[in-house]
Amino acid sequence: MISSRDREYLDQAIIVSRRALEDEGKTPFGAIVIVDDRVISEGTSSVIERCDPTAHAEVMALRNAAQRLARHLMPDAVMYSSSEPCPMCLSACYWARIPRIVFGATSFDVAANGFEDLQIYREFTLPQRQRSMDEVAAAPDQRQEAAAVLAQWAAGLPEPVVPKL
C-alpha cells in the first residue's frame, strides 16, 4: 500500500529522474534512500557519463547512502525509485538488506521505452544452458581451490557461518 508519505518520497525520486534529462550522459532514472524519515542519499543513472554499466540510479543511491551512513547494510531504509529496479539494482537492494522498495514506472514501461530490464528478468528464468550468455563453471581442481579461499575466510569470522543453501 502506498501512503501519502510514500507518494511524497516517490515524487522526489521522479524529480531526480527528470533532472537527469538535463544532464548529458544520464538516462532518466532517479532513486532516493530514506532512513528515519530523512533523505539520506539520491542517485541518478550515470552509466554513460561514468562508463560504468553498474552506475544505475539505485546503485548510486546505495553507494551514496553507504558512504554517508558508514555502513553497507541498511535494514532500516526504504528505497524509492522512479521505476521498477532492474535485476542488478533489485539484487543490490537485497544485498544491502533494504526491506522495502517503492517504485513508479514498471519494467513494462521501461521496456516500452527501449531499456532491457524485462529481457534480463526473463533471461534469469531460463535454464543456464539456454541463456544468451555462456556461463562456464571451473574444472573440479579450480573449484576446490576457489572454495578453499571462501572456507578460509569463513573460518576467520567471529561467529560460525550458517550455510544459506
Side-chain angles (χ1 to χ4, degrees), residues 13-14 16-17 20 27-32 43-45 57-58 80-83:
I14 294 168
V16 172
S17 74
T27 51
F29 299 97
I32 62 173
T44 187
S45 179
E58 296 88 348
Y80 291 86
S81 179
S82 63
S83 65

Side-chain angles (χ1 to χ4, degrees), residues 31 36 44 97 114 136 155:
D36 294 330
T44 187
R97 307 292 194 267
V136 181

Side-chain angles (χ1 to χ4, degrees), residues 114-130:
F115 293 91
E116 298 174 352
D117 303 32
L118 197 54
Q119 272 182 272
I120 296 170
Y121 271 115
R122 288 182 182 135
E123 182 93 3
F124 287 157
T125 67
L126 297 173
Q128 193 177 51
R129 66 187 178 286
Q130 292 179 11

Side-chain angles (χ1 to χ4, degrees), residues 25-46:
K26 296 202 184 244
T27 51
F29 299 97
I32 62 173
V33 174
I34 305 298
V35 174
D36 294 330
D37 207 30
R38 291 186 356 248
V39 176
I40 298 301
S41 69
E42 68 176 48
T44 187
S45 179
S46 305

Side-chain angles (χ1 to χ4, degrees), residues 42-95:
E42 68 176 48
T44 187
S45 179
S46 305
V47 169
I48 297 165
E49 171 187 46
R50 292 177 178 248
C51 297
D52 178 352
T54 68
H56 290 200
E58 296 88 348
V59 169
M60 297 305 291
L62 286 171
R63 289 174 182 169
N64 295 334
Q67 290 298 307
R68 183 157 182 215
L69 297 170
R71 57 186 164 101
H72 68 287
L73 299 179
M74 298 174 220
D76 53 346
V78 178
M79 171 72 74
Y80 291 86
S81 179
S82 63
S83 65
E84 186 174 358
C86 74
M88 177 187 68
C89 292
L90 184 61
S91 295
C93 289
Y94 273 102
W95 280 113

